[in-house]
Amino acid sequence: MELATLVDRLDETLSTAAYADVDASANGLQVGPEESSVEHVAVAVDAADATIETAADAGADVLVTHHGISWGGIEHVTGRTYDRVAALVENDVALYVSHLPLDGHPALGNAAGVAEALGVADRKPFGELGPVTIGTIGELPEPVDVGTVAERLEEFEGRQRPVQVLPFGPEAVERVAIVTGSGADWLDEAVDRGADVLVTGEGKQQIYHEAREAGISVCLAGHYATETFGVRAVQERLEEWGLETTYVSHPTGL
């Protein structure tokens, strides 16, 4: 497959253009030649020296990641940025990035993957960010306590520390709101939409008091651990397109 064809397919599948005005990440092809062929694609959560090297060792032509190396433009190619770009170019590995599009995609997204793992059904878009959304909200098939939700989150790949729970919501959890990664800013929307718990990756200091005062529980399951689902789903799609794939696991514990 031609690289340009792969990029077009991914852009269309993930609705990349819809997020252009709200995402600091330069989504799409961040590093790569105008003309190239692709047989093998590696996928990873982060574009970093470790994942680039592993992708190159696996013989990948392209590395697809959730977190890339360009956030609002690169003015100087020095330091860590130089090292990463150099590693990609020297190993002839292109870099394709999907940040917020891969958070909010209703089927392939990180939030969709978390919801599926938790058994959340009847899902609707959640996590408004301008004209798009980056999360999902839905119902559990039967009520459980927030501890049970946390136990399910503990099973996620890449977990290196316990799930943090702020148990300020009702004892019976039925409605679950999800924004992966850093989703504390959507606590008020979760409250407004009747969620019993907000599941996200990491929090901010003020979320403790905000959740307590609003009467909603929060589960902090880890930034990395909540964001492996999207690239895994993309990996499956790439294989359907006839490409060889490699998943590069490099948990951060954060």
Side-chain angles (χ1 to χ4, degrees), residues 19-221:
Y19 292 80
D21 293 334
V22 299
D23 198 347
S25 173
N27 295 312
L29 185 66
Q30 285 195 356
V31 179
E34 293 184 358
E35 296 183 4
S36 179
S37 61
V38 179
E39 296 181 359
H40 188 164
V41 182
V43 302
V45 174
D46 303 309
D49 286 350
T51 56
I52 293 168
E53 290 172 5
T54 302
D57 290 344
D61 305 300
V62 180
L63 174 62
V64 174
T65 68
H66 179 51
H67 301 130
I69 61 176
S70 176
W71 301 87
I74 297 175
E75 295 184 0
H76 305 283
V77 183
T78 59
R80 285 189 299 272
T81 300
Y82 175 85
D83 292 340
R84 292 172 180 176
V85 172
L88 290 163
V89 173
E90 290 170 3
N91 289 288
D92 199 21
V93 177
L95 175 65
Y96 182 96
V97 175
S98 186
H99 183 229
L100 295 184
L102 198 53
D103 282 323
H105 193 281
L108 305 179
N110 288 313
V114 171
E116 188 70 24
L118 292 176
V120 176
D122 191 25
R123 301 197 293 263
K124 302 292 189 300
F126 173 80
E128 293 183 1
L129 187 62
V132 297
T133 56
I134 58 172
T136 190
I137 188 169
E139 312 290 333
L140 293 172
E142 58 183 30
V144 299
D145 59 44
V146 71
T148 299
V149 175
E151 287 174 3
R152 295 174 183 174
L153 294 169
E154 290 282 1
E155 298 176 359
F156 284 9
E157 174 195 345
R159 291 223 43 75
Q160 294 183 348
R161 61 182 180 181
V163 173
Q164 292 180 279
V165 179
L166 306 179
F168 301 131
E171 290 186 11
V173 173
E174 299 181 71
R175 191 160 176 79
V176 181
I178 303 166
V179 174
T180 61
S182 182
D185 290 341
W186 285 270
L187 180 74
D188 287 340
E189 183 182 346
V191 173
D192 291 342
R193 295 185 61 178
D196 302 310
V197 62
L198 171 65
V199 173
T200 187
E202 61 184 79
K204 300 177 180 178
Q205 167 67 15
Q206 61 267 32
I207 197 173
Y208 174 93
H209 297 289
E210 292 172 349
R212 184 172 181 271
E213 292 161 8
I216 184 174
S217 294
V218 177
C219 288
L220 306 175

Side-chain angles (χ1 to χ4, degrees), residues 8-25:
D8 288 344
R9 283 193 182 185
L10 287 171
D11 283 347
E12 181 179 1
T13 299
L14 298 170
S15 301
T16 300
Y19 292 80
D21 293 334
V22 299
D23 198 347
S25 173

